Amino acid sequence: MIKQLFTYTYIVILINSMCLSCSKPVDFDQVNDLEITPVMESSLVYLNQPATSFLNDGNQISTVQDYVQVQFFNSDFIVDNLVKAEFVFETTNSINSGFQVKVDFLDVNSQLQHSFSFLVEASTNNLNTTSNFTEVFQDNTLLALKNTSMLVFTLKMLSGTPVTQNTVGYVSLKSKGVFYFNIDADL
Amino acid sequence: MRYLAIIFLVTGMSFAQNKQILYGFSEIPQTLMLNPGGQINNSGYFGLPFVSHIHASAGISGFTVYDLFANNGVDFNIKLRDAIYNSKPRDFGSINQQVEILSGGFAIGNIFKKNEYISFGLYQELDGIWYFPKDYAILALEGNQNNINKVFNASHLKLSGEVISVLHVGYNKKVNNQFSYGVRGKIYSNILNVNSIKNRGTFVTEIGDNNIYNHIFNLDLELRTSGIAGFEDSEADDVYRELKKRTLMGGDKGLGFDIGFSHQISKQWYVDGSLLDIGFINHSKDVENYSIKGTYQFEGINPFFSELETGQTANDYWNKIQDEFSEVFEPDTTYTKFTTWRPIKLNASLNYAFGEKKEKECNCIKKEKEYQNRIGAQLYAINRPRQPQAALTLYYYRKLFKGLSMKTTYTADSYSLNNIGFGLSANLANVNFYVMADNLLQYKNIYDAQSVSLQLGFNYIFKKNED
């Protein structure tokens, strides 16, 4: 009898534990708080040229300019999630002449949205001079970046010793873009 | 949003396929599905359509639903980061669900000695497994800024999922009192299939030669689907009709079989074992595969002296880069037929019966006394895309009253080391009802469970004459 009672109790407890399972409070709406903030870095433009590259048929070229068309900054993903960006430039120069680097940001209608420039110091002794420059895109300038569909790059050789076939030295430029994202659960 | 959370929950949970409580529970006809050579103690049965066997199980290794969604005031993003950093690429979630649509069996052979048994049926099964794509998660969470020189591994993406229906016929023969064997032939009908299991490749950002960074992509990714592409513009009614047709064996076909045996070593000891789902499915209808394959290096562009270096303007050069980039990264769609193998399962057990039933009166006609208790060890293993998974179970079985028996199990597996399960089988007149569930210790907080599993069903049993 007691054994039977024991067996019954055992079964009841087990069945209860199976059917009346409990759960501590969970809140699936927390998914709405999802927010990830990856930072992507990408190489941008580069340059590594001897002084003689600035000669054309023996004549000095003082300005080099070209452009690229980019849809990247207008893409939905960038427009929605990019919260800050930086263009970081590292230059070294061993030419006895300074340079100016200028980047213009144009929209689809070729209207200027943003522009910045920086100087590369001349090297008076043909040893490398280094200089760095960072352009930060936030608020208005970030909006300008997101409107950009063409980048115009201008490299201007500043006054210095005129370049000849015998001019020594190199100018080099390396750059990267740093893209700060804030991706939230806007689902 | 809530639905998304639930989808996340369901996909995040792993329905383990192990049915350690049902295995060897010979009062229940469905044990024959786990070992076609198992012991049978009925002369026939039919399952109540759609409710003869309902199985659902879910599990997740690494983190639990509670770890992520606990309402404990901790910022969800902190919990998410913890879950990601604490998980390994071999952590996984999987789901398994089965419903028997039809099921039945009957003994055949000499009228005095019916030692052969035919069983048959049709069931639907859903099976899915995904591995935690750790490097993808880290890249999405952090970006590459703090991961310069880290090689992101593309093979962390691994998943497979299938919905099929299975038509089967099994044959069981009791050769003598010591040995039984059985085979089951299966025809699979594919309902839906998605798999991406052979991904390879890397992505790394290194310090560059010409520029600050050199980004190197080397990717070989493929996602294969069948049975899905045709539904893109279909109405709900058409989808339903087509799914019903495939469930009734109208989909891509496959073949497979199960084998098993059981051997009585002595009066009290027996061993048994089985191999299930040795089979394949050929996918040819509504096949659509996507692949990303190629290598690409990017160091940036030289816009000032582009023509000098590349012979083209900066913009032409940039366009060429974009084209090459698209060529690698825009998925190619192909319609190549493919074959998938079913996850092979192995079961084995060693069992010891004890505790003879005490008769109130001396019964001289009864041939053998029945043992009331049984203990044993069971081994289960399943072949999975990354590596096989195994589980070891210890159990205690007891006949409680006439027609009522129970089994409790302790299981150590990929999910946890403390999985306690319990099952009951009750025969009321000719109706058999069974219910079983595992991970009972976790039910005090179901969301913190690494896995849960449930089986239940109703059958109508034709008893053996000697019972």
Side-chain angles (χ1 to χ4, degrees):
Chain A
M1 182 65 202
I2 288 171
K3 199 177 162 194
Q4 221 168 33
L5 198 73
F6 180 78
T7 314
Y8 273 123
T9 316
Y10 179 65
I11 292 172
V12 166
I13 290 171
L14 271 168
I15 289 177
N16 269 337
S17 71
M18 283 166 77
C19 305
L20 305 173
S21 64
C22 312
S23 59
K24 287 186 191 165
V26 290
D27 177 11
F28 293 121
D29 289 338
Q30 289 179 88
V31 167
N32 292 319
D33 303 336
L34 176 72
E35 191 178 87
I36 57 172
T37 52
V39 183
M40 296 299 293
E41 296 201 344
S42 169
S43 279
L44 294 175
V45 295
Y46 63 88
L47 163 76
N48 188 21
Q49 298 294 336
T52 50
S53 294
F54 295 86
L55 285 175
N56 188 8
D57 294 336
N59 300 316
Q60 183 174 334
I61 315 161
S62 59
T63 305
V64 185
Q65 189 178 59
D66 212 335
Y67 70 93
V68 291
Q69 285 173 313
V70 283
Q71 282 87 48
F72 176 73
F73 301 118
N74 315 135
S75 67
D76 287 345
F77 181 77
I78 296 291
V79 170
D80 292 345
N81 300 304
L82 187 70
V83 291
K84 186 186 163 192
E86 290 166 4
F87 282 13
V88 178
F89 297 86
E90 300 170 7
T91 61
T92 56
N93 185 15
S94 54
I95 302 170
N96 187 10
S97 181
F99 294 89
Q100 186 202 40
V101 179
K102 183 161 165 267
V103 187
D104 297 315
F105 297 73
L106 308 183
D107 68 8
V108 276
N109 302 316
S110 299
Q111 296 297 306
L112 187 68
Q113 297 290 309
H114 183 64
S115 178
F116 69 83
S117 64
F118 58 91
L119 297 176
V120 180
E121 255 182 78
S123 168
T124 48
N125 51 8
N126 293 125
L127 293 176
N128 277 332
T129 60
T130 63
S131 45
N132 296 324
F133 177 80
T134 300
E135 178 74 2
V136 179
F137 297 86
Q138 263 178 317
D139 304 323
N140 284 336
T141 51
L142 185 69
L143 285 178
L145 179 67
K146 290 176 181 177
N147 277 329
T148 299
S149 51
M150 188 191 284
L151 293 171
V152 180
F153 297 93
T154 310
L155 178 68
K156 195 184 273 176
M157 194 174 223
L158 301 176
S159 52
T161 315
V163 178
T164 67
Q165 287 292 347
N166 300 320
T167 308
V168 292
Y170 273 78
V171 59
S172 90
L173 174 147
K174 294 179 174 185
S175 66
K176 67 179 179 182
V178 185
F179 302 98
Y180 298 85
F181 294 97
N182 187 324
I183 304 164
D184 55 32
D186 194 16
L187 301 162
Chain B
M1 203 61 238
R2 215 185 161 81
Y3 292 111
L4 201 91
I6 290 165
I7 291 167
F8 180 83
L9 192 159
V10 171
T11 51
M13 289 180 94
S14 129
F15 289 77
Q17 287 218 12
N18 192 5
K19 295 178 181 172
Q20 74 276 24
I21 313 168
L22 183 61
Y23 188 81
F25 209 139
S26 54
E27 286 88 338
I28 305 165
Q30 279 75 18
T31 52
L32 272 185
M33 298 304 295
L34 301 180
N35 182 358
Q39 294 169 4
I40 298 169
N41 51 13
N42 65 65
S43 63
Y45 87 98
F46 63 86
L48 269 72
F50 295 99
V51 292
S52 57
H53 185 64
I54 295 170
H55 161 80
S57 56
I60 183 168
S61 75
F63 57 88
T64 67
V65 174
Y66 188 71
D67 287 342
L68 266 191
F69 291 103
N71 197 359
N72 56 4
V74 178
D75 184 351
F76 176 72
N77 294 294
I78 292 173
K79 290 184 280 194
L80 180 70
R81 275 165 181 72
D82 287 346
I84 289 174
Y85 289 120
N86 291 331
S87 297
K88 298 174 187 67
R90 66 167 186 273
D91 280 322
F92 66 97
S94 74
I95 60 174
N96 187 260
Q97 163 275 335
Q98 289 175 0
V99 172
E100 266 187 1
I101 297 161
L102 283 172
S103 159
F106 53 88
I108 54 168
N110 186 313
I111 192 152
F112 301 110
K113 193 185 161 199
K114 288 192 172 180
N115 59 354
E116 292 164 290
Y117 195 91
I118 301 289
S119 57
F120 55 89
L122 175 68
Y123 68 89
Q124 167 272 329
E125 176 171 354
L126 176 153
D127 186 55
I129 183 162
W130 65 274
Y131 289 88
F132 182 67
K134 178 137 183 171
D135 277 5
Y136 292 81
I138 297 283
L139 186 59
L141 199 62
E142 296 180 355
N144 65 346
Q145 186 185 50
N146 290 328
N147 293 298
I148 304 306
N149 291 328
K150 176 182 163 62
V151 179
F152 287 95
N153 189 342
S155 75
H156 286 185
L157 181 67
K158 245 188 191 70
L159 59 92
S160 90
E162 62 181 353
V163 184
I164 58 169
S165 71
V166 185
L167 182 69
H168 61 88
V169 178
Y171 171 78
N172 178 297
K173 180 161 186 176
K174 188 171 181 176
V175 178
N176 52 41
N177 282 337
Q178 275 78 48
F179 190 74
S180 299
Y181 70 88
V183 291
R184 180 176 307 284
K186 289 177 163 176
I187 301 171
Y188 304 112
S189 168
N190 178 58
I191 299 171
L192 305 168
N193 189 291
V194 179
N195 69 79
S196 181
I197 51 180
K198 287 179 183 159
N199 299 317
R200 281 179 302 168
T202 53
F203 163 61
V204 63
T205 300
E206 294 177 346
I207 302 302
D209 295 327
N210 293 314
N211 207 342
I212 296 176
Y213 295 133
N214 185 16
H215 308 280
I216 306 168
F217 301 87
N218 173 11
L219 298 175
D220 185 359
L221 306 175
E222 190 181 29
L223 175 78
R224 302 186 297 187
T225 75
S226 88
I228 295 167
F231 289 142
E232 267 155 27
D233 301 312
S234 300
E235 300 281 325
D237 280 357
D238 296 335
V239 173
Y240 174 73
R241 206 171 300 128
E242 177 64 23
L243 289 179
K244 202 166 90 178
K245 190 186 109 193
R246 291 183 201 166
T247 307
L248 299 171
M249 307 312 288
D252 280 330
K253 296 290 186 307
L255 284 176
F257 67 94
D258 303 345
I259 50 168
F261 77 97
S262 100
H263 173 58
Q264 196 79 36
I265 302 167
S266 71
K267 208 173 149 199
Q268 288 179 283
W269 286 92
Y270 76 90
V271 287
D272 62 10
S274 67
L275 278 174
L276 308 177
D277 281 322
I278 304 162
F280 63 89
I281 297 173
N282 273 332
H283 300 267
S284 60
K285 289 179 198 159
D286 288 337
V287 168
E288 200 163 299
N289 309 324
Y290 311 92
S291 69
I292 291 177
K293 191 170 179 174
T295 56
Y296 196 69
Q297 284 199 35
F298 177 68
E299 273 199 309
I301 59 168
N302 180 349
F304 304 105
F305 291 92
S306 181
E307 290 188 57
L308 204 68
E309 281 204 339
T310 64
Q312 50 196 335
T313 66
N315 200 44
D316 289 343
Y317 182 59
W318 172 243
N319 286 337
K320 190 179 140 228
I321 287 176
Q322 285 184 314
D323 289 347
E324 288 170 356
F325 200 79
S326 309
E327 211 164 282
V328 174
F329 291 96
E330 269 176 23
D332 293 329
T333 308
T334 61
Y335 306 95
T336 319
K337 298 170 185 180
F338 64 92
T339 300
T340 53
W341 292 88
R342 298 241 52 221
I344 297 178
K345 280 142 287 215
L346 168 107
N347 284 293
S349 78
L350 175 66
N351 312 272
Y352 175 74
F354 62 96
E356 282 175 312
K357 190 177 182 180
K358 290 195 183 82
E359 304 285 339
K360 281 174 185 159
E361 292 163 32
C362 175
N363 185 342
C364 306
I365 307 162
K366 203 169 170 85
K367 284 177 285 184
E368 270 180 44
K369 286 178 181 171
E370 268 185 297
Y371 291 106
Q372 298 298 295
N373 305 281
R374 199 161 69 230
I375 55 167
Q378 296 171 191
L379 175 71
Y380 166 82
I382 181 168
N383 191 25
R384 286 305 201 181
R386 188 175 282 275
Q387 67 207 17
Q389 295 168 353
L392 189 68
T393 297
L394 302 174
Y395 78 86
Y396 170 64
Y397 162 95
R398 179 163 173 91
K399 282 198 168 122
L400 296 171
F401 317 112
K402 189 172 169 57
L404 184 67
S405 42
M406 59 126 235
K407 182 177 174 184
T408 54
T409 56
Y410 165 80
T411 302
D413 59 20
S414 322
Y415 306 106
S416 75
L417 298 175
N418 53 3
N419 180 353
I420 304 285
F422 179 74
L424 268 183
S425 166
N427 286 332
L428 206 65
N430 286 73
V431 175
N432 164 258
F433 166 69
Y434 64 95
V435 60
M436 41 199 59
D438 74 354
N439 254 309
L440 299 176
L441 294 180
Q442 303 296 330
Y443 277 56
K444 63 183 183 289
N445 180 8
I446 188 79
Y447 294 119
D448 208 14
Q450 304 278 174
S451 69
V452 287
S453 162
L454 177 77
Q455 290 119 47
L456 61 90
F458 294 89
N459 297 294
Y460 187 90
I461 306 256
F462 300 98
K463 293 175 183 175
K464 272 190 178 172
N465 293 335
E466 57 257 39
D467 277 359

